Amino acid sequence: IKPERGIEAEAGMDASLAGGRFGVEFTYYERYTRDALMAVAVPPSTGFMGVSLENLGTIANRGIELSLTASPLRRNRLAWDTQLGLSTNRNRLVAFGYDRTPIALSIYQPVQRHQPGYPLGAYWGNLPLPDASGALVRNPGGGLVADSQVYIGPSSPTREAALGNTI
């Protein structure tokens, strides 16, 4: 195992108006991590169960952070401060360090996996298979027949917001 290595770029600005009663902060960042440590299932052929950490690839993260502040009320014995924070983060596995299949994060129902080009731990699912007329195909027991797995979405939030008030 080697240490993870990364490179990051960040740019931002801060501004305030009316003697600090109103303010804005904005930041944009990008980070690339090489030799990322990921848990990989130990092959059953070894006779052991569990996971081991391996340096497997490159991960990219990028996003923005925005903070708006205001002090709408300032009196002798009473003050009201408010803050609104908004942020985004998009991560994706750029590539494994070598040619390999996606890493499933579950043995029995592999609905999450690490796959190049998609977010880490992304959710995957099966779509029902339609016939030529568009009706869903069913097996003899009445269950739906599934097509290949498709990407559903990331496992981590991509947007967050927070509102705070102090009186």
Side-chain angles (χ1 to χ4, degrees):
I1 294 179
K2 301 182 287 188
E4 295 182 335
R5 296 175 294 156
I7 185 169
E8 183 171 5
E10 185 173 315
M13 53 87 53
D14 296 346
S16 65
L17 301 167
R21 291 188 67 161
F22 301 97
V24 62
E25 298 175 14
F26 176 80
T27 304
Y28 173 81
Y29 63 91
E30 280 194 36
R31 178 174 178 80
Y32 290 90
T33 304
R34 294 185 314 270
D35 297 324
L37 287 168
M38 293 185 204
V40 178
V42 174
S45 60
T46 63
F48 297 97
M49 296 202 51
V51 295
S52 66
L53 286 177
E54 295 182 23
N55 294 99
L56 278 184
T58 303
I59 298 170
N61 281 287
R62 74 170 183 235
I64 61 168
E65 297 171 352
L66 176 66
S67 177
L68 304 172
T69 58
S71 296
L73 178 65
R74 287 206 177 154
R75 301 279 187 237
N76 291 339
R77 301 186 63 162
L78 180 65
W80 171 27
D81 297 320
T82 187
Q83 180 180 13
L84 173 65
L86 306 168
S87 64
T88 67
N89 182 53
R90 180 178 183 261
N91 78 37
R92 67 182 169 88
L93 176 61
V94 177
F96 287 124
Y98 57 92
D99 189 28
R100 66 160 294 136
T101 60
I103 298 173
L105 301 182
S106 173
I107 297 171
Y108 302 106
Q109 185 69 357
V111 296
Q112 273 188 286
R113 66 179 179 224
H114 298 318
Q115 181 169 329
Y118 294 93
L120 292 172
Y123 287 110
W124 295 77
N126 295 318
L127 290 178
L129 184 66
D131 62 15
S133 68
L136 299 179
V137 177
R138 297 189 179 272
N139 63 24
L144 294 173
V145 175
D147 199 359
S148 60
Q149 285 200 328
V150 295
Y151 170 72
I152 296 173
S155 59
S156 299
T158 58
R159 294 174 196 90
E160 293 183 8
L163 176 64
N165 286 289
T166 304
I167 297 178

